[in-house]
Amino acid sequence: MSWTTALGLRWPILQAPMAGAQDSALAIAVSRAGGLGALPGAMLSPEALATELEAVRATGAGPINVNAFCHEEPAPDPERQARWQALLAPWYAEFGLDVEALPAGGGRRPFDHAACDVLAAYRPKVVSFHFGLPAPDLLARVKAWGATVLSSATTVEEARWLEARGADAVIAQGLEAGGHRGHFLSDDLSCQMGTLALLPQVRQAVRVPVIAAGGIADARGVAAALALGADAVQVGTAFLCCPESRASALHREALMSEAARHTALTNLYSGRPARGIVTRLMRELGPLSEAAPAFPLAGAAIAPLRAAAEARGLGDASPLWAGQNASRCRAVPAEEIVRELARGVAR
């Protein structure tokens, strides 16, 4: 019996957690269709996380994956903040905002005991992490209720590290994937590989199940990943235009346009490299800037710009997260996307 069957899944298909672009509705839809839906928790307070988990429980939809971030909260850096403020000053002026009132804060919480207290009350079958694993005492708490623990690896070294420290399965996140890179052992982006290069190397390096992520959007992609040794696949971008998604109208429009063919890694929106559709902000400031504060602090100053631009119908300063393969983004129910992906699974 495969590990996905043991979890109660019909298909070895996981929906990628996409913080800010979804809530429990998408997770429920994917799980009802026989895949593993995911609930991103990094941008939720403990109270909001409990509300979303209660919604999942009320539907009886099946197992879901609750995702959390494991970043370290950065120390304040006034000099870097001043450089960031100076860089954004023309943008603030263009949209009639006061750069002197530039807000602080991060908006993304690292996994802590408060979040774990909430999860313990609901005992999700799967808990996944981005940027490594939590502290041993927190990981032990998650494992105590029998949860399967997943985490993202962007290199072979990270995959080995995760296996050695208790991950039950490793997500091999290729460079094509949308959203935040999961790297945690090195910030050197030249170490990052595409899915088809990374996947077989991770498969050879670890004994735990391996989940392929990045660039997979249809049945052919699923079949290719499984043929290269993946035990399952994780898909994100293809679900963003589903009615169950919470992606904005501007985001959906971009995903289904020619603009989606042009993506890049950028740290402007959060302080950490993440793949998204190239926006005016990315073009004019350069997608990767040394002035951007450390993750997740950069996002606080971008939020007012995003709101002001979107109020004018512009996505100039919006984080339009997307992988390199948005070709299957369609306004169809998530169940239909799962069915299409499942055609790539050998019977």
Side-chain angles (χ1 to χ4, degrees):
M1 179 186 293
S2 70
W3 71 276
T4 53
T5 302
L7 284 174
L9 307 182
R10 182 180 181 189
W11 307 112
I13 296 168
L14 285 67
Q15 169 241 315
M18 297 175 285
Q22 64 147 129
D23 57 18
S24 58
L26 182 59
I28 291 166
V30 172
S31 288
R32 279 178 167 164
L36 182 66
L39 176 65
M43 297 179 73
L44 300 178
S45 67
E47 296 76 18
L49 180 59
T51 297
E52 292 294 330
L53 287 169
E54 192 61 40
V56 172
R57 174 185 280 178
T59 67
I64 67 157
N65 161 29
V66 180
N67 178 257
F69 287 176
C70 294
H71 60 284
E72 293 184 8
E73 294 190 274
D77 186 338
E79 183 178 337
R80 194 170 180 181
Q81 185 69 21
R83 292 201 306 270
W84 187 229
Q85 183 171 325
L87 187 66
L88 294 178
W91 279 76
Y92 266 63
E94 177 182 341
F95 287 97
L97 302 172
D98 180 7
V99 74
E100 297 299 327
L102 189 147
R108 292 173 174 86
R109 297 166 51 93
F111 190 64
D112 56 18
H113 283 285
C116 197
D117 288 344
V118 175
L119 294 194
Y122 292 89
R123 303 167 69 92
K125 284 192 175 183
V126 181
V127 178
S128 66
F129 297 101
H130 219 42
F131 316 135
L133 289 169
D137 60 329
L138 279 167
L139 184 61
R141 287 189 64 189
V142 172
K143 286 190 165 256
W145 69 74
T148 295
V149 172
L150 318 178
S151 189
S152 300
T154 67
T155 63
V156 171
E157 292 73 21
E158 288 176 347
R160 289 185 175 131
W161 189 98
L162 293 172
E163 180 182 45
R165 286 159 180 79
D168 298 306
V170 170
I171 302 164
Q173 187 195 33
L175 193 57
E176 303 95 326
H180 284 93
R181 304 299 302 149
H183 60 260
F184 58 92
L185 292 183
S186 171
D187 293 331
D188 184 356
L189 292 177
S190 69
C191 297
Q192 302 289 287
M193 290 181 273
T195 305
L196 295 186
L198 177 65
L199 172 58
Q201 293 183 61
V202 170
R203 176 67 287 164
Q204 186 175 5
V206 301
R207 296 183 179 181
V208 296
V210 177
I211 301 150
I216 302 168
D218 58 19
R220 292 174 299 174
V222 172
L226 297 178
L228 283 172
D231 297 280
V233 300
Q234 180 171 277
V235 177
T237 304
F239 287 106
L240 280 172
C241 291
C242 295
E244 298 92 346
S245 162
R246 295 294 177 264
S248 69
L250 283 168
H251 196 172
R252 292 168 189 266
E253 181 181 354
L255 286 163
M256 293 190 284
S257 74
E258 286 297 309
R261 296 180 182 274
H262 190 192
T263 68
L265 295 179
T266 181
N267 66 344
L268 299 178
Y269 292 109
S270 71
R272 190 180 181 96
R275 184 172 297 283
I277 296 170
V278 173
T279 61
R280 182 184 153 215
L281 185 79
M282 293 162 66
R283 287 194 301 270
E284 294 189 2
L285 302 188
L288 296 170
S289 172
E290 293 183 358
F295 180 87
L297 301 179
I302 297 298
L305 286 176
R306 174 185 180 178
E310 289 185 354
R312 300 184 189 180
L314 303 172
D316 291 1
S318 300
L320 305 175
W321 301 137
Q324 288 184 326
N325 185 2
S327 63
R328 299 304 295 167
C329 282
R330 295 175 296 145
V332 299
E335 179 184 8
E336 186 169 328
I337 301 294
V338 174
R339 281 202 308 266
E340 178 177 328
L341 294 167
R343 296 189 186 103
V345 180
R347 306 259 178 164

